[in-house]
Amino acid sequence: MKKFFAIICLAGLLLACGSKPTPEPIKLANDTLQNNQSGIIAHEIGNAPFFSADSAFAMIEKQVSFGPRVPNTKGHVACGDFLINRLKKFTPDVIVQSTTVIAYTGEALRIRNIMAQFNKNNTHRIVLFAHWDTRPFADRDKENPKQPLLGADDGASGVAVLLEIARLLHLNSPPLGVDIVLFDGEDYGDAGGKPETYCLGAQYWSRNLPVPGYYAKYGILLDMVGAANARFCQEGWSLKYASSVVEKVWNMAHALGFGNYFIMKQIDPITDDHYFVNTIARIPTIDIINFDPAVNSVGFGDHWHTLKDNISIIDKQTLHAVGTTLMNVIYTESSNF
Ligand code: AHN
Ligand code: ZN
């Protein structure tokens, strides 16, 4: 006993003298993500599996590695194949809806909407949307308005958040049915023209639901959810068709300490995929979209539809805020609302 005590004292003395340098704390790859800007440990408030912004970021990098994902190009087909295979890792219930739509230019676009179902037999469901195609030209870019853009934010960010959620839904069965739908043909629209020239995949899906009698209690669309200092305001169509969902999501984000991203401010309607889901499929759906009229003359970030929409504008903190909010919304739903 005495001997043991002596050893303990000796060990204590050695430590106190600092004969060995104290080891540096291990730095986790995502340790900067443990705290949001309010200093609240976000993921400990809710009870959801931890959303990895590192994984989501890697999924943006992967999509961007295919180059622009413009319908009828090789990069588009290759990225679509990747997304289908990735989702098939997490659920056997992946439905690919292939069709041809006519763009405002008269071009016939071969597109694929990709749907992944989790707990497919549960009648209580929610659905999450993003678009995976990218705009064929950077028409807001002063130098190169005809070149295609990489769409790290406009396209890839929403998809990446949903791919990370798919991974987590597979690891930890959610309390209700969840569907993930990746729309194609969203951004091949006429900038000065009719809004219906956009969202061709969402329009087709809403008119031709790939699951007979499909219904979800509500939907959430993610569009441009990756840029640094993104500002998600409460958008007009979301408020008109699904105000209680806006309230639920923004309140959750604020409770988690993400009030600097989810702004309690109402903005005019934006015709995006959710407009067609609301009016054609009649699933009450909101849009989480980086738009604030206060930031510049267009309201979208300065990188919007320019060649600046590449990986350098993506911030993991934004992905963390959006992903963590969605995970907590999903895992706090009851199984029989
Ligand atoms: C319009 O510009 C009509 N709607 C915005 C939809 C959009 C474009 N989302 C991403 N890119
Ligand atoms: Zn766009």
Side-chain angles (χ1 to χ4, degrees):
M1 191 61 202
K2 256 186 186 167
K3 206 171 171 188
F4 181 64
F5 186 69
I7 289 166
I8 294 289
C9 285
L10 192 69
L13 204 69
L14 280 172
L15 281 174
C17 294
S19 61
K20 264 195 180 164
T22 339
E24 277 283 299
I26 298 160
K27 222 173 158 48
L28 298 168
N30 59 1
D31 68 347
T32 55
L33 303 172
Q34 304 296 312
N35 295 283
N36 56 57
Q37 286 170 26
S38 316
I40 298 163
I41 299 169
H43 64 280
E44 284 184 2
I45 292 172
N47 206 11
F50 180 72
F51 179 91
S52 167
D54 289 326
S55 299
F57 187 86
M59 287 296 114
I60 298 181
E61 286 180 312
K62 180 71 187 180
Q63 290 173 78
V64 164
S65 78
F66 294 103
R69 280 85 67 211
V70 177
N72 299 351
T73 68
K74 271 191 177 170
H76 179 258
V77 173
C79 185
D81 291 346
F82 163 75
L83 296 171
I84 292 162
N85 288 325
R86 178 85 188 158
L87 288 168
K88 281 184 176 170
K89 283 185 205 285
F90 306 131
T91 172
D93 299 306
V94 176
I95 301 166
V96 180
Q97 185 180 51
S98 302
T99 190
T100 301
V101 292
I102 308 297
Y104 77 97
T105 54
E107 249 175 297
L109 308 178
R110 288 184 297 281
I111 62 166
R112 286 182 289 180
N113 294 320
I114 303 162
M115 181 170 183
Q117 301 202 279
F118 296 83
N119 295 348
K120 82 163 172 176
N121 294 324
N122 196 322
T123 51
H124 303 287
R125 318 194 62 76
I126 60 174
V127 54
L128 310 173
F129 304 103
H131 76 89
W132 70 271
D133 64 303
T134 57
R135 189 158 179 78
F137 28 72
D139 49 342
R140 296 201 56 86
D141 196 296
K142 293 211 174 70
E143 278 90 55
N144 299 290
K146 293 197 166 141
Q147 234 165 271
L149 54 141
L150 284 171
D153 192 25
D154 194 354
S157 65
V159 171
V161 167
L162 297 188
L163 290 177
E164 169 59 0
I165 290 175
R167 186 181 72 82
L168 298 169
L169 292 172
H170 170 66
L171 291 174
N172 203 325
S173 182
L176 75 176
V178 179
D179 299 303
I180 288 176
V181 178
L182 308 180
F183 288 134
D184 200 350
E186 189 275 342
D187 226 348
Y188 214 110
D190 185 1
K194 291 183 178 154
E196 314 90 82
T197 58
Y198 289 85
C199 311
L200 300 177
Q203 294 186 56
Y204 184 83
W205 186 88
S206 299
R207 291 195 176 95
N208 305 276
L209 295 173
V211 177
Y214 180 76
Y215 189 72
K217 175 92 175 173
Y218 64 85
I220 300 175
L221 169 65
L222 304 182
D223 195 3
M224 300 185 276
V225 293
N229 307 116
R231 294 176 65 82
F232 309 118
C233 296
Q234 303 180 333
E235 176 273 339
W237 297 131
S238 308
L239 290 165
K240 176 176 162 103
Y241 293 108
S243 63
S244 66
V245 184
V246 173
E247 205 174 309
K248 185 197 293 261
V249 171
W250 263 252
N251 285 345
M252 178 61 80
H254 278 247
L256 293 164
F258 302 130
N260 44 344
Y261 294 99
F262 288 78
I263 316 295
M264 295 290 187
K265 171 171 149 179
Q266 306 196 347
I267 56 166
D268 288 344
I270 298 169
T271 302
D272 204 351
D273 289 329
H274 73 310
Y275 173 76
F276 300 98
V277 173
N278 275 304
T279 58
I280 302 171
R282 303 212 172 267
I283 297 167
T285 300
I286 67 161
D287 194 4
I288 300 177
I289 185 165
N290 182 9
F291 185 99
D292 186 344
V295 299
N296 59 25
S297 59
V298 259
F300 296 111
D302 290 328
H303 61 283
W304 184 60
H305 292 179
T306 76
L307 298 189
K308 278 199 243 161
D309 188 353
N310 58 53
I311 198 76
S312 67
I313 53 114
I314 301 298
D315 187 343
K316 288 180 187 176
Q317 297 282 353
T318 308
L319 298 171
H320 173 69
V322 174
T324 304
T325 299
L326 283 193
M327 284 300 289
N328 281 283
V329 166
I330 296 167
Y331 285 83
T332 55
E333 283 298 353
S334 71
S335 49
N336 60 346
F337 58 73

